[in-house]
Amino acid sequence: MRPPSRLANVTVAAVSAVVLAACGSGSSADTALPSAAPSPTSPSGSPSTTAGPTPTAGGPSASRTSPAAAVPEVLRFTADRVDGATFDGASLAGRKTVLWFWAPWCTVCARSADDVKAAAADLGDVTFVGVAGLSSDAGAMRAFVERHGVGGFTQLADTGGDLYTRFGVTQQHTFVLVDADGTLTRQPAYGRDVDLADLVRSTFG
């Protein structure tokens, strides 16, 4: 039997070196792999629009204030304005707001329109929103707004009665005052002598 050639010895040595090097590099590659990346935190953290579990108290997002979480439930609605645009009730969150519930056929509402308009102009730090209801006639609502000049503040067309129900209103010419924290104060004004400016000041302070 002939002894192994030099070429065979060199080949065996080279293969051994490659195997050893591969084992060493595999170990360092494993330790260099990054750990799983954390799930990104939603900018808004809104539970109403973001799927997934609510963050645990004390977690990374616990110190953040979510705009949606600050909106009182009663203001979480959308509605049509008399001009056909869409209104988002959440835009009233954190504001002192007066909701004026009226009906397009209501003569008392018509007589009171000037007083409401004057209060809206005088009380600049309070947001006024009209809610036309107890009618499915959006055209009559638009005509009322134009006829009595109350288009200077938002007017909603509650043709389905959803907002009347949401705010617990049972008759037209009722004021609902919404405090910055979402507290409601209802004041029926049909057949009553109500000074709206005084009511607003005494309620909001």
Side-chain angles (χ1 to χ4, degrees):
M1 178 183 297
R2 293 190 303 170
S5 66
R6 290 183 60 191
L7 179 58
N9 291 336
V10 170
T11 302
V12 171
V15 169
S16 298
V18 169
V19 170
L20 290 174
C23 291
S25 64
S27 175
S28 62
D30 289 343
T31 57
L33 285 174
S35 59
S39 299
T41 301
S42 169
S44 65
S46 168
S48 60
T49 58
T50 303
T54 303
T56 303
S61 61
S63 62
R64 298 189 180 190
T65 300
S66 168
V71 178
E73 183 61 32
V74 73
L75 295 180
R76 296 189 182 192
F77 69 87
T78 57
D80 292 332
R81 300 189 334 191
V82 294
D83 61 7
T86 300
F87 178 80
D88 186 355
S91 65
L92 301 175
R95 301 183 182 183
K96 295 177 288 186
T97 303
V98 173
L99 301 174
W100 173 39
F101 288 81
W102 55 272
W105 44 262
C106 171
T107 56
V108 173
C109 302
R111 290 197 302 268
S112 303
D114 285 342
D115 291 337
V116 178
K117 182 169 56 175
D122 292 342
L123 303 170
D125 61 334
V126 178
T127 300
F128 279 70
V129 176
V131 183
L134 304 181
S135 172
S136 60
D137 190 345
M141 295 173 179
R142 287 191 296 272
F144 181 99
V145 171
E146 295 173 2
R147 183 182 312 116
H148 300 288
V150 289
F153 55 94
T154 299
Q155 298 288 348
L156 305 180
D158 187 29
T159 54
D162 296 333
L163 295 181
Y164 266 68
T165 300
R166 172 176 284 269
F167 288 93
V169 175
T170 58
Q171 68 177 23
Q172 78 282 4
H173 197 45
T174 293
F175 299 108
V176 175
L177 282 64
V178 187
D179 208 340
D181 63 0
T183 302
L184 303 182
T185 300
R186 296 179 191 85
Q187 177 59 68
Y190 190 91
R192 303 187 187 189
D193 185 13
V194 174
D195 187 317
L196 180 56
D198 282 350
L199 173 65
V200 171
R201 293 189 184 100
S202 62
T203 302
F204 293 146

